[in-house]
Amino acid sequence: MQCHRSVWLHVVLGLCFAVSPTCRLYASGLIWALGMKFAIDKINNSTSLLPGIKLGYEIYDTCLEPVVVIQPSLLFLTREGSAGIRVLCSYTDYQTRVTAVIGPYVSDLALITARLFSFFLIPQVSYGASSEKLSQEEYYPSFFRTVPSDKSQSKALVQLLDKFGWNWIVAIGSENEYGREGLATFSSLATAQGICIAYEALIPADPSVPQDHKKLETIIKYINETQVNVIVLFSVDKSVKALLEQWISHGFSQKVWIATEAWVMSDIVTSIPNIQTIGTVIGFTIKGGIVPGFQDYVADLFASIQQESFCQASWEYSRNADSAVLGPQCRQCDNVSLHDISHLLGNQQTYAVYVAVYSVAHTLHQALGCMEEGCPKATVKSWQVSEGLSLTSSFSSPTHRMTQGFDIMFWSWQKGNLQYIPVGDYQESLRINTSQIRFHTMDSKKPVSTCFQRCEPGQIKRVKGFHLCCYDCIDCEENTYEGTKEDLFCANCPEHQWSPIRSAKCYDRSERYLFWDEPLIICLLVLILFAMVLTCLSAVLFLKNLNTPLVQVSGGARSIFALLCLLLMCLSLCLNIGKPSTASCMLQQPLYTLCLCACFSTLLVKSLEIVLLTEFTSCPKGFLLWVTQKRAWLIVAVNCLVESMLCFWCIYSVPAFPVRDYKLLHSQVLIHCEIQSWFAFIMIHGYTGSLAFICFLCTFMVQTPAKKYNMARGIMFSMLVYFIAWIIFIAIYNTVQAMQQHAAEICSGLLCALGVLTSFYIPKCYILLFKPECNTVAYFQLHQGGAS
């Protein structure tokens, strides 16, 4: 079958296919060549595609050698009708010997020829070169292919391993472009998916060389020592054959072998003696289709070559042909029969060849402007065909821009015969029927090949042992989360977010402050309302009895003013409840202290009056006038003015403002008012405290006979409650969390308000309500005791 015809017609196509250097027939290559010939014959007999145009072709054997593939490639670049290549500034009108090239099959050779043909923009359509480098259109603008790239197959391999839960594997590639690039792409994707590669190596290019044979022995040894159960072989069939022969000869245990499309259905591999002893083989084949009529075509062709007249004509043609074009004769291939290649007639790779030829034919049809009656244009340049292949998608066949999937094949041995069982496919995602796979294990169940258990969400990997991809799973702590699978540490949540233990993500923090519906706040609000009601009732009662001796002795209108200030102070306590704002934070302390200062100013006037009447009886009467009558209001006004000035200075210079505390609570952000200047805080509260202290000193020294009415005692106890409230507030404020500090302020204010009410005003209200007989001038003149 070594004889070939070379037909020179209008269009010349070159197909590269491989026959081994020892002239051993490469049956798959022969099938692909016949597939191309069948496609061309079918196109030439078509009346709808390229009517009136006959395609010619030349077939060259690459021998899988770069040096061999260069010779015909240079021949293709020669000018039509000559044997030379002209050096021109522009090759726009340059007509090359061929219009398009089909092949070669392997990526190593395609990378060489693609760069060469790209200079002239000669379209090259490969039916097997899958290297990812060839996808770079800026370097290979005229390269096309009808098969998926290695990256697509690598994704399929990773998904297959992930499907079976195999994360402890060996990855081996062939030492050529297909193996190196494919293995690198697969390793990268596998690592990203969390698959641990225990050992990775390249099979030497020529294991027959002693040095390379030693390397192969080392690879075999390491594979066996890793004790993994799954081996991925991203390799061409010749390298796989060398490795598996050594594996079988050593008698190593059975494994699961994951095959790529380059060898899963190769007769070179399946013909290895005792190949069925290696274990389970699952692999990928390019999803294609059956070429209709091809098997009958090959059967008829083999029937015709048995005729003496056909062979006689072939040998006559061979003698007259150029030996440089025809190549060396292969006598060992003369006796090839249909039986030798019948098992490969259904090879789906043939469909890729068939599609490659038809893609060029369709593009030529469009470039020549062909219609049913014929093709108007006489000629077309190679760059026009290349441009058409890049732009058109009118034909149903895929180009380099179209991605095909894979079929998943399982090797099934039935009574010593190998059958390829389709068990699934891959198109963007993997689909597989695991029930059809019978593993080599005793129970035919899936073998285990794991270095670790997959970490749950919210866990990170802690490396163990010598392999970086073997690890234990550690829970992420509170407020940390599992970032990416590659991270060795849990990532901290952003400040505005939080996470529980063993979390895979962070959650937004909820806001925390004193809510109106909290039980504690409701109780405090009830107490505030109670204090306000008492204050209002006292004010109303004092107003109703304004002109009576008791009210007048207590301060008269100043007492009502003090009660109103006390009412406003109770209302100011509500500024501590709810979500803090800039306004509420600024007004909390100034409004509280100003109201309390106004209340204490009225008590200060009364305290000064008492001390002058009891302790300084000899003082001039003019002094007493300043703490009685209308002049007393001036003292109240001056005190309120001083406190107001301090409060305004605090508001405009160092106001309190709302802050968000993310550290105090683990899942919430605490919003509270932060005092900007403690000095200002001490100043405004210190002035009010100094008034209280003066009141306390003035009333504490008053000596009252028994059974005498003692107004000083009420002021003294009021101030005493005020100081006790501050002591309690400071103790609580420094011990409770910031969340409860505002509640402590409310409690302190309430205690102070209720202390003033119960110590000074409520006893007088009792006399007004229940002992009106005591509310007379005579009574106070009789019982004044110097302390009334």
Side-chain angles (χ1 to χ4, degrees):
M1 189 59 193
Q2 83 285 5
C3 49
H4 306 296
R5 290 194 307 160
S6 183
V7 181
W8 294 85
L9 295 174
H10 189 71
V11 181
V12 181
L13 298 171
L15 171 69
C16 300
F17 74 106
V19 177
S20 66
T22 58
C23 202
R24 177 186 179 276
L25 175 67
Y26 185 34
S28 296
L30 175 60
I31 292 296
W32 300 337
L34 294 177
M36 188 212 73
K37 182 179 183 301
F38 170 71
I40 292 177
D41 289 346
K42 192 173 180 180
I43 293 168
N44 288 339
N45 293 328
S46 173
T47 57
S48 58
L49 183 61
L50 293 174
I53 301 294
K54 297 296 181 182
L55 302 179
Y57 62 90
E58 291 180 353
I59 299 177
Y60 290 88
D61 180 11
T62 67
C63 299
L64 290 178
E65 293 291 338
V67 176
V68 177
V69 79
I70 286 294
Q71 181 181 359
S73 299
L74 293 174
L75 182 64
F76 296 159
L77 299 178
T78 58
R79 192 178 183 90
E80 186 179 20
S82 71
I85 303 174
R86 295 186 61 186
V87 178
L88 302 172
C89 293
S90 174
Y91 287 89
T92 304
D93 298 322
Y94 186 81
Q95 185 67 54
T96 55
R97 177 185 176 90
V98 300
T99 304
V101 177
I102 307 297
Y105 170 71
V106 295
S107 297
D108 297 66
L109 304 183
L111 285 167
I112 297 172
T113 58
R115 182 62 67 92
L116 192 62
F117 295 144
S118 292
F119 291 137
F120 296 84
L121 288 181
I122 296 177
Q124 176 184 356
V125 185
S126 175
Y127 51 89
S130 56
S131 173
E132 189 65 24
K133 289 182 179 179
L134 293 166
S135 300
Q136 302 174 358
E137 294 187 26
E138 63 272 21
Y139 297 116
Y140 309 102
S142 64
F143 177 82
F144 306 88
R145 56 183 164 205
T146 57
V147 293
S149 68
D150 289 338
K151 187 173 183 179
S152 179
Q153 184 169 203
S154 295
K155 289 180 179 178
L157 289 168
V158 170
Q159 288 195 22
L160 178 67
L161 295 172
D162 191 60
K163 174 69 177 179
F164 286 105
W166 293 324
N167 54 43
W168 180 236
I169 65 166
V170 165
I172 305 295
S174 52
E175 197 168 343
N176 58 6
E177 183 65 27
Y178 175 80
R180 283 190 297 268
E181 293 299 320
L183 186 60
T185 303
F186 166 75
S187 298
S188 176
L189 294 174
T191 302
Q193 187 62 27
I195 296 172
C196 186
I197 300 178
Y199 177 64
E200 185 176 334
L202 294 174
I203 305 172
D206 188 5
S208 61
V209 178
Q211 185 176 356
D212 286 352
H213 180 77
K214 186 176 180 180
K215 289 181 180 178
L216 183 59
E217 287 286 340
T218 302
I219 292 173
I220 295 291
K221 175 186 175 183
Y222 276 123
I223 293 176
N224 186 59
E225 288 179 352
T226 57
Q227 297 182 350
V228 300
N229 287 323
V230 178
I231 303 168
V232 175
L233 277 181
F234 212 115
S235 170
V236 296
D237 50 7
K238 181 181 177 182
S239 299
V240 173
K241 179 177 184 292
L243 185 141
L244 292 182
E245 283 179 342
Q246 290 296 318
W247 186 269
I248 294 170
S249 66
H250 284 78
F252 290 142
S253 61
Q254 294 181 319
K255 304 288 184 181
V256 176
W257 304 85
I258 307 299
T260 58
E261 46 80 27
W263 69 271
V264 67
M265 297 183 69
S266 171
D267 60 325
I268 291 179
V269 177
T270 57
S271 61
I272 299 174
N274 299 318
I275 185 64
Q276 67 274 13
T277 63
I278 63 172
T280 304
V281 178
I282 304 172
F284 292 88
T285 60
I286 296 172
K287 185 181 285 293
I290 302 300
V291 180
F294 178 62
Q295 296 191 18
D296 295 336
Y297 174 83
V298 174
D300 294 341
L301 181 61
F302 269 87
S304 65
I305 65 175
Q306 302 301 322
Q307 300 175 9
E308 184 62 28
S309 58
F310 178 87
C311 282
Q312 199 66 30
S314 297
W315 284 115
E316 186 65 28
Y317 179 81
S318 298
R319 282 196 297 269
N320 297 330
D322 185 355
S323 59
V325 174
L326 187 61
Q329 304 300 309
C330 182
R331 298 292 181 182
Q332 291 89 339
C333 300
D334 288 347
N335 299 321
V336 176
S337 65
L338 180 62
H339 174 75
D340 296 326
I341 62 171
S342 59
H343 65 287
L344 295 173
L345 292 178
N347 192 327
Q348 294 185 346
Q349 193 74 45
T350 309
Y351 183 78
V353 179
Y354 182 78
V355 169
V357 176
Y358 261 86
S359 65
V360 174
H362 276 280
T363 306
L364 282 171
H365 185 90
Q366 293 180 356
L368 293 171
C370 296
M371 298 175 290
E372 291 184 2
E373 55 273 14
C375 301
K377 295 183 180 180
T379 59
V380 64
K381 300 294 190 296
S382 297
W383 63 266
Q384 293 175 313
V385 179
S386 181
E387 187 177 68
L389 281 169
S390 298
L391 299 176
T392 184
S393 59
S394 59
F395 51 88
S396 58
S397 306
T399 67
H400 75 298
R401 295 177 299 162
M402 302 172 64
T403 304
Q404 284 182 302
F406 297 89
D407 289 321
I408 305 173
M409 293 294 178
F410 165 63
W411 281 15
S412 177
W413 294 93
Q414 304 290 337
K415 297 180 180 180
N417 296 320
L418 174 61
Q419 293 182 351
Y420 300 106
I421 307 297
V423 294
D425 64 358
Y426 171 84
Q427 283 182 315
E428 301 299 330
S429 61
L430 188 80
R431 294 186 306 168
I432 187 169
N433 184 1
T434 56
S435 62
Q436 291 183 283
I437 301 176
R438 295 291 180 267
F439 290 98
H440 59 272
T441 54
M442 294 295 294
D443 55 1
S444 298
K445 291 184 178 180
K446 175 193 72 174
V448 177
S449 188
T450 58
C451 177
F452 56 87
Q453 296 296 323
R454 293 207 179 273
C455 291
E456 298 294 330
Q459 294 181 321
I460 58 170
K461 305 168 184 176
R462 185 176 65 184
V463 176
K464 63 179 180 180
F466 298 102
H467 295 280
L468 294 179
C469 52
C470 290
Y471 50 81
D472 292 323
C473 295
I474 306 300
D475 292 344
C476 286
E477 296 179 354
E478 191 176 83
N479 286 332
T480 64
Y481 70 101
E482 173 201 354
T484 62
K485 295 297 183 182
E486 292 79 16
D487 289 342
L488 298 178
F489 303 96
C490 295
N492 291 320
C493 288
E495 190 177 45
H496 65 282
Q497 292 183 321
W498 76 285
S499 66
I501 296 175
R502 192 172 173 177
S503 178
K505 64 177 182 178
C506 294
Y507 305 91
D508 291 334
R509 291 176 180 267
S510 60
E511 294 181 341
R512 183 70 176 96
Y513 42 84
L514 294 182
F515 295 102
W516 292 91
D517 56 353
E518 289 185 49
L520 174 61
I521 300 305
I522 291 175
C523 293
L524 292 176
L525 286 172
V526 171
L527 291 175
I528 291 174
L529 182 61
F530 175 70
M532 291 173 63
V533 170
L534 284 180
T535 305
C536 291
L537 291 175
S538 299
V540 170
L541 190 59
F542 269 58
L543 181 62
K544 186 177 179 181
N545 299 276
L546 181 61
N547 296 319
T548 63
L550 177 60
V551 176
Q552 289 299 316
V553 169
S554 300
R558 293 192 304 274
S559 294
I560 299 176
F561 172 74
L563 287 169
L564 293 177
C565 290
L566 207 59
L567 176 67
L568 187 58
M569 188 200 77
C570 291
L571 282 174
S572 71
L573 296 177
C574 294
L575 292 174
N576 293 280
I577 306 173
K579 185 175 181 179
S581 63
T582 302
S584 65
C585 287
M586 284 194 304
L587 293 176
Q588 276 178 14
Q589 301 301 326
L591 187 59
Y592 171 80
T593 56
L594 185 59
C595 293
L596 195 58
C597 177
C599 178
F600 284 1
S601 296
T602 62
L603 297 179
L604 175 65
V605 171
K606 195 62 185 174
S607 299
L608 292 174
E609 178 187 354
I610 293 172
V611 78
L612 287 174
L613 290 173
T614 58
E615 303 298 329
F616 301 97
T617 55
S618 60
C619 68
K621 294 293 184 181
F623 287 174
L624 194 60
L625 293 176
W626 281 99
V627 292
T628 59
Q629 308 301 325
K630 293 183 179 179
R631 292 185 184 183
W633 283 103
L634 184 59
I635 296 176
V636 174
V638 170
N639 286 320
C640 291
L641 179 61
V642 173
E643 183 68 23
S644 298
M645 292 175 65
L646 290 172
C647 289
F648 278 116
W649 167 71
C650 179
I651 289 174
Y652 286 103
S653 299
V654 283
F657 54 90
V659 295
R660 306 172 77 88
D661 190 339
Y662 295 98
K663 297 180 179 179
L664 186 62
L665 305 175
H666 75 280
S667 64
Q668 296 173 308
V669 51
L670 177 63
I671 306 175
H672 64 98
C673 296
E674 184 173 88
I675 297 172
Q676 187 173 352
S677 171
W678 283 102
F679 175 75
F681 179 86
I682 293 172
M683 287 295 293
I684 60 175
H685 284 279
Y687 185 77
T688 304
S690 64
L691 296 181
F693 186 68
I694 294 173
C695 292
F696 180 77
L697 287 179
C698 290
T699 56
F700 180 74
M701 295 185 298
V702 174
Q703 298 295 325
T704 305
K707 298 184 180 180
K708 295 286 186 177
Y709 176 78
N710 193 341
M711 188 175 292
R713 188 180 301 142
I715 298 175
M716 183 193 69
F717 278 109
S718 297
M719 297 305 104
L720 190 60
V721 171
Y722 169 75
F723 292 130
I724 293 174
W726 263 105
I727 293 172
I728 295 174
F729 168 72
I730 293 172
I732 295 177
Y733 192 88
N734 291 322
T735 55
V736 299
Q737 293 181 341
M739 181 178 60
Q740 304 298 334
Q741 288 175 351
H742 284 286
E745 291 183 31
I746 298 174
C747 292
S748 175
L750 268 174
L751 181 59
C752 181
L754 291 172
V756 174
L757 281 171
T758 57
S759 299
F760 187 76
Y761 293 102
I762 298 300
K764 295 171 178 57
C765 291
Y766 175 79
I767 294 174
L768 292 173
L769 289 174
F770 301 106
K771 291 188 177 183
E773 68 277 3
C774 296
N775 190 11
T776 62
V777 176
Y779 176 82
F780 283 99
Q781 288 179 346
L782 181 64
H783 296 87
Q784 61 181 355
S788 61

